[in-house]
Amino acid sequence: MIRRDFSERDIHMALDGELPPDERAAYDAWLDANPEMRARSARFTADREALRSAFAGVLDEPVPARLRKVVLGEAPVKAAVPRSRWWLAAAAAVLLATGGFGGYFAGIDGIAQEDPAEDRLAEQAIAAHVIYAAEKRHAVEVPASDKDHLQTWLSNRVGLKLVAPDLTANGFQLVGGRLLPAGDSKAAMLLYEDDKGERISLFVTAESVENAKGTYASAQDGPQAVYWLDKGYGCAVVGSLPREQLAVVAKNAYGQLLAGLAS
């Protein structure tokens, strides 16, 4: 088995079918050992399929020579006609779907991602959920029975006044929480469980400078995150519930977290 350090570039190579066959086993092992990168790979795959689906009606049409030259950098775009990043993404997607230019599209960093901070928060939250929600004995560091200490400890370490939301109205009880790394900062993870053993988690981190909200799914059959970034913090509620149900739980949790931060 080939052993070397892999990176996001290798994810793009694998999606484009350019990863050497003798490196595939090591690459798959690397994904298994890095849940965040595995989630990112799943997201890139989903984005790729979404683009193909979005342009399904025009995939059989010939690509205009002018458009092909612009995307490949062979002809300049006139300064008098500004082009948005979405226009460039759409043009590249057409070339990608017709074949032969997948590497060009995948190699443009963030071409279809207007807010990478949103992706980063959601990917971190989903990766943490995948790892710890499946744990039975070591899912949390501090149990719900020591809730006061849990809230104080995480608040001090993360730098935000955190209050563990009461989600009993949604059928979930607090299991406990833990401290996690989040890039250059720290994140708090609160884990909840219903009477059927279904688990959801809240992932909260400070130092966000973005202002956004949305839903992020790293894979069609995996957990998804409902997230917010606002006024110096980021929050994501993660679970495998139906989207509408997760949104209701997330709204309740977010309202209580916001009230706690403001108190």
Side-chain angles (χ1 to χ4, degrees):
M1 180 186 295
I2 300 295
R3 295 188 179 276
R4 67 175 178 84
D5 292 331
F6 291 94
S7 66
E8 185 175 308
R9 178 176 179 274
D10 295 292
I11 295 178
H12 292 304
M13 291 180 64
L15 290 176
D16 290 338
E18 297 177 357
L19 190 71
D22 60 350
E23 295 184 4
R24 188 72 203 196
Y27 169 77
D28 290 339
W30 174 72
L31 285 184
D32 290 340
N34 293 273
E36 184 174 336
M37 288 300 171
R38 184 172 64 231
R40 187 165 301 181
S41 175
R43 172 64 189 276
F44 292 162
T45 301
D47 287 346
R48 190 185 186 93
E49 293 307 313
L51 284 169
R52 289 181 183 276
S53 176
F55 292 96
V58 297
L59 295 185
D60 294 331
E61 297 180 6
V63 179
R66 176 180 57 82
L67 183 60
R68 185 185 295 269
K69 289 180 179 180
V70 170
V71 174
L72 295 179
E74 297 174 359
V77 178
K78 294 181 180 179
V81 185
R83 303 291 188 180
S84 68
R85 293 179 69 196
W86 166 244
W87 178 90
L88 182 58
V94 173
L95 292 179
L96 166 65
T98 55
F101 298 96
Y104 174 79
F105 176 75
I108 299 178
D109 185 22
I111 189 171
Q113 300 175 20
E114 293 293 337
D115 296 296
E118 298 175 33
D119 290 352
R120 187 162 54 249
L121 171 73
E123 286 170 356
Q124 290 171 342
I126 290 175
H129 181 86
V130 169
I131 293 173
Y132 294 110
E135 287 284 342
K136 298 302 181 183
R137 298 182 60 185
H138 305 289
V140 299
E141 292 178 279
V142 180
S145 58
D146 203 358
K147 183 178 177 180
D148 289 341
H149 170 63
L150 172 66
Q151 294 178 146
T152 301
W153 173 58
L154 289 178
S155 295
N156 291 338
R157 298 304 299 273
V158 175
L160 295 170
K161 184 178 180 181
L162 297 179
V163 175
D166 182 353
L167 301 180
T168 54
N170 303 107
F172 287 89
Q173 300 291 334
L174 179 67
V175 176
R178 63 170 50 247
L179 185 69
L180 295 171
D184 295 329
S185 59
K186 303 179 182 69
M189 177 182 174
L190 299 172
L191 189 66
Y192 291 79
E193 185 177 76
D194 66 10
D195 56 4
K196 297 179 181 178
E198 183 72 33
R199 287 179 169 181
I200 62 171
S201 61
L202 278 66
F203 186 92
V204 184
T205 184
E207 301 181 12
S208 169
V209 296
E210 303 292 326
N211 189 333
K213 61 182 179 180
T215 301
Y216 179 109
S218 62
Q220 291 183 351
D221 58 349
Q224 58 184 327
V226 178
Y227 64 84
W228 294 265
L229 294 91
D230 188 24
K231 299 178 181 178
Y233 67 91
C235 168
V237 180
V238 183
S240 297
L241 303 175
R243 178 170 296 187
E244 295 78 9
Q245 183 182 357
L246 184 63
V248 171
V249 177
K251 184 177 181 180
N252 184 17
Y254 178 67
Q256 294 183 54
L257 283 171
L258 191 63
L261 289 169
S263 64

